[in-house]
Every structure is written in structure tokens, then in C-alpha cells.
């Protein structure tokens, strides 16, 4: 299957694939950052650039309520399952990156688990505020199309007030 996949990519060419995925990413970023609650607060907090320069086609984000509070990524995951929408949610694989992106105060992670504690995958999230540990990740690629991006934007309209 790998050889067939590589031949398929070679036949299409990487430049057209890159251009297509970049256009989808640009549209999705613009649509997400435009979503505002009735009081003007943004619904979406995008981590990383909100344009396609210096970024790939994976967008890490969180949803915020009208008061600016984080809507737990688990709630979004549960709704995405009901809507048969494939999202990646959860804690960042790199805790330091997650702490930086989520702007966690230093005092919330001073008591980080030891190497032995890390045998339990949830050890870090037990030390940190579980409401703040995690995000939603949307990945676009070769088989993604505009309908996929549009469907995600329509899905998150549910949290607008």
C-alpha cells in the first residue's frame, strides 16, 4: 500500500496538494477567527499563526464561552461523536508546549510528576487544572475538501451565544 500511495502522490504532484491544503487551511483559519459571541468575544482561540505563513495544516484551538471561559474539549469531543465528525482532542503531547500555548501560570505546574509518576499517562493532568489541559486539533490533508472545513465551522456554531 505504501508504494501505491507514493505513486499516487507522485502522479498528482506535491505542489498542487500543498496549494489545495494551504487554501483550505487559510479559509478555515479565517472562518474560525471571525466567529464571535453576541457580546463580541471570540468563540475560537487558535494556537499558532492565524494565517498560513509558518504553519502547517493542523490547527490547534479551544472554544471559549461568551465570558471568555474555556469550553472543555471533552464536551466538544462528545458532540463531535454524535455528529460523526472526526476530531482530535486532549492534552498536548509536549507538556511544555501545552503550558506555553494555554498560558498556564508557573505555580500550576511547579509540582510536576516525577519520571516514575509518568508511568501513569494522566499524571500531569492530575497536577494541572484538568479544565485547562487540552485542545481540539483539526487536521487537513490530501483527502480533505471544502465540505469538511465548512462542516466543522457549522458544527462549532453550536457554542455561539
Amino acid at each position: 500500500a505504501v508504494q501505491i500511495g507514493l505513486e499516487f502522490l507522485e502522479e498528482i504532484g506535491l505542489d498542487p496538494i500543498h496549494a489545495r491544503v494551504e487554501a483550505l487551511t487559510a479559509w478555515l483559519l479565517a472562518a474560525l477567527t471571525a466567529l464571535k459571541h453576541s457580546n463580541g468575544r471570540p468563540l475560537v482561540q487558535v494556537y499558532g499563526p492565524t494565517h498560513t505563513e509558518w504553519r502547517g495544516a493542523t490547527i490547534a484551538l479551544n472554544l471559549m464561552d461568551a465570558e471568555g471561559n474555556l469550553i472543555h474539549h471533552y464536551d466538544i469531543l462528545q458532540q463531535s461523536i454524535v455528529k460523526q465528525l472526526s476530531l482530535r482532542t486532549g492534552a498536548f503531547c509536549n507538556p511544555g508546549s501545552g503550558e506555553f500555548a494555554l498560558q498556564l501560570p508557573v505555580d500550576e505546574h511547579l509540582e510536576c510528576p516525577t519520571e516514575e509518576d509518568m508511568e501513569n499517562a494522566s499524571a500531569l493532568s492530575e497536577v494541572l487544572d484538568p479544565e485547562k489541559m487540552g485542545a481540539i486539533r483539526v487536521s487537513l490533508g490530501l483527502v480533505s475538501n471544502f465540505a469538511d472545513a465548512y462542516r466543522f465551522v457549522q458544527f462549532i456554531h453550536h457554542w455561539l451565544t
Side-chain angles (χ1 to χ4, degrees):
V2 171
Q3 183 173 342
I4 293 169
L6 291 174
E7 289 170 1
F8 178 70
L9 291 175
E10 188 175 297
E11 184 179 318
I12 295 173
L14 294 181
D15 289 338
I17 295 169
H18 177 265
R20 182 169 180 269
V21 171
E22 184 176 41
L24 283 172
T25 303
W27 182 87
L28 185 54
L29 285 166
L32 293 173
T33 56
L35 294 173
K36 309 276 188 230
H37 291 284
S38 59
N39 65 2
R41 287 187 184 228
L43 170 65
V44 179
Q45 168 66 55
V46 173
Y47 302 106
T50 56
H51 49 77
T52 57
E53 188 176 346
W54 294 101
R55 82 162 306 127
T58 298
I59 303 170
L61 61 104
N62 269 312
L63 302 184
M64 312 303 275
D65 67 19
E67 286 75 45
N69 300 309
L70 187 75
I71 299 171
H72 199 284
H73 59 84
Y74 185 77
D75 296 333
I76 286 87
L77 175 62
Q78 292 304 306
Q79 287 297 314
S80 73
I81 292 168
V82 170
K83 299 290 185 183
Q84 297 182 334
L85 190 67
S86 179
L87 300 177
R88 176 77 172 103
T89 65
F92 288 100
C93 296
N94 177 343
S97 172
E99 293 161 3
F100 178 78
L102 297 171
Q103 300 175 343
L104 297 176
V106 172
D107 62 343
E108 284 194 32
H109 54 84
L110 285 176
E111 304 267 338
C112 284
T114 65
E115 200 168 312
E116 294 89 33
D117 292 333
M118 290 310 289
E119 291 176 16
N120 174 358
S122 66
L124 186 60
S125 63
E126 290 172 10
V127 173
L128 299 174
D129 182 347
E131 293 295 312
K132 296 179 183 173
M133 281 306 296
I136 304 159
R137 271 141 348 237
V138 178
S139 299
L140 300 167
L142 173 65
V143 299
S144 302
N145 58 39
F146 178 74
D148 298 325
Y150 183 80
R151 185 170 175 227
F152 177 68
V153 172
Q154 293 307 305
F155 166 72
I156 64 172
H157 271 109
H158 169 77
W159 283 276
L160 278 174
T161 57

